[in-house]
Amino acid sequence: MDDDFDDFDDNGPMGTRNKWVFEISTEVANKVGGIYTVIRSKAGVTVDELGDHYCLIGPYNENSARLEVDPMEPTNEIMRRTLANMREKGVKVLFGRWLIDGYPRVVLFDVGSVAWKLEGWRKEFWEVAGIGIPWPDRECNDAVLLGFLVAWFLGEFRAQCEQCEGKQYLVAHFHEWMAGVGLVLCRCRNIDVSTIFTTHATLLGRFLCAGNVDFYNNLNKFDVDKEAGNRGIYHRYCMERSAAHCAHVFATVSDITALEAEHLLKRKPDIVTPNGLNVQKFQAIHEFQNLHAIAKEKIAEFVRGHFYGHYDFDIDKTIFMFTAGRYEFSNKGVDMFLEALARLNYYLKSSGSEMTVVAFLIFPAKTNNFNVDSLKGQAVVKQLRETVMEVQSDIGKRIFESCLGLASSANPQEGVTKLLSGSIPKSEELLQSEDLIKLKRCIFAAQRPNLPPVCTHNMTEDAKDPILNHVRRIQLFNNRADRVKIVFHPEFLSSTSALLAMDYEQFVRGCHLGVFVSYYEPWGYTPAECTVMGIPSITSNLSGFGCFMAEHIADPTSYGIYIVDRRFRNPEESVQQLAGHLFDFTRQSRRQRIIQRNRTERLSELLDWKSLGLYYRKARQLALFKKYPEAIRPDSPKTPQFRYPRPASAPPSPGSSRASTPLPSEHGDDDDEDESYDDSDPNFQPIRMVSRGSEVFEGSYPVIKPIIKKSSNSNGN
């Protein structure tokens, strides 16, 4: 049997004779949430490793499958016979290739075609697993149908494999509780397959954090059965917990989720499999800086329109910050971000800073339509731009005609008149009265009596919206005197939008800083996406991404990864720390921001699936070892060991940064961001702050009294 596994842990593709890997999820070719991003982005690397013996399994969704899947018939005889036998018994199944990187094979089951079996399968699941499913829970019913179809498929596939020469080894990797029914059935039916179960976020953990409980301080104190029952999810919790315990290998996506799963699911994960991204490296380092400058100018155009009539700040001395994600006000740390912005506004005004901060909040919420004032602002600026271009064109024509035309010049000494070719026009000849009228009309139209809106849309429940209510409390209403402006965009970004015509990736590239201080974030793709695009970000030590970067980088701040402590500090101290990071960032010069972006972009290798895919490979190796201990070694392949050292130019102390910090450019910002600077430049010294207890200071740094109420929750939201 050892001979059969000789090529399993080599560096080349997996053997094409006797190894099969199936990955099961409800988000295969079906975009619902973050697992879709994980599976889609990882597929290319997995296909490179496993070839056509890698297959994804999920439910059939006609709307998405029609656009994302290329239907075809299987060429492998085992797969062909397996699907043929299931189709003969009335199962509708689509086989094809997913139109993404790697072109992986997919098997999509139409659960509706076997809905008539639901009652019998629910009864069988109760008999073999002791888990009852309430009839009205449609999501669980679909999970039962998919689980039985997957177990049926794997059992049939195993039976067909017995007709082949040599031993065939199967690995089935299940993602999340909705796919876990199939795993439980595989173990109950003793199907010869190695199983892996990955929880990306525990079900009970999400519900507990949504209820604003002191989650991490009470992990070992929760009565999990009682808490799940009180929230009406006990049957779902049982499905997740049974899948975790039945799997040969139990995995989570981060250390913080592993701690959560150990207490809530009562099993310590065997391995942590971090989430990665497909990283597109540029040939020259200045290319992504150029993309930043282009995207930043598009954001600046929106800002000019949104703040028309109050556009009294220098756009070249403006920092664009943003936060985005699911609209979970406390879990995503929006409350802490807004609180820190209020502190930042005070710091900037007290220190006399010329910098302005525009903070974007991108969270989908219920709206009626665009805010009329927001649309009007873009129209006013567009009209002014077109008028100026028209006047500019007319002035250019007048200069051209004047320089090209003939003019007479008298010479009194010679008593003759000469004809000269062209003349320099006078200023009053260039800007004529009709041009002045056009410009004055546009200037008068750009005046507004009211303040620029905080929200770009009309909210359905304005009085109940948590973001708007918090803005009212901290009183950041985009006044002229405020150095921090807020733009709440309650809709996902789109390049076809009439207001901010940018897709999310382009918008991220155009910003200077992403802020994601989540209270509950098993991984965190948003800061990871910032990192691979070279945009610095602020995260928390309660997110999987933050823990991962802290573990693998000696000095994350020097690489543009700021980590706020939300686990071991109270809310007031965390807000002070976050406000300090924001203020430090606004004090950086243009040169420092460029160097920091270069460093941040270098971390993309750390998040590339070409590196992190090895964790999934080790999970498969471990599952096979537990199923066939006599056939495989448990210590192969090795998982990567990353450790980014502290940059050589990092300062030994905050005080040394002032003397060597390079002077800012004339405009103090990054208009010419196509320039690239080497981060080994000894002149680069990031500005840092010193914190002691609840006070934060550096030199004459202003300190204000807390405006966030301390709660009994030491990790409060």
Side-chain angles (χ1 to χ4, degrees), residues 644-665:
Y644 278 73
R646 181 186 179 96
S649 60
S653 66
S656 67
S657 66
R658 296 192 198 126
S660 59
T661 297
L663 293 175
S665 61

Side-chain angles (χ1 to χ4, degrees), residues 125 127 153 174 187 264-265 309 367 456 497 508 538 568 584:
F125 193 56
E127 292 173 350
F153 169 84
F174 298 81
R187 298 305 301 274
L264 299 186
L265 299 181
T367 63
T456 59
S497 172
V508 172
I538 302 179
F568 302 109
D584 289 347

Side-chain angles (χ1 to χ4, degrees), residues 305 308 375-385 442 445-447:
Y308 85 96
L375 290 173
K376 180 183 177 182
Q378 302 302 319
V380 167
V381 171
K382 180 181 179 182
Q383 180 62 41
L384 176 59
R385 185 183 299 108
C442 290
Q447 298 177 1

Side-chain angles (χ1 to χ4, degrees), residues 336 343 564-581 691-696 706 708 710 714:
M336 186 162 289
R343 313 289 179 91
V564 173
D565 186 358
R566 294 202 62 179
R567 187 174 179 187
F568 302 109
R569 295 191 182 190
N570 62 40
E572 171 59 28
E573 292 173 339
S574 298
V575 169
Q576 287 280 10
Q577 186 184 20
L578 174 57
H581 287 322
S691 65
R692 295 178 183 173
S694 61
E695 295 184 348
V696 184
I708 185 173
K710 289 189 177 182
S714 60

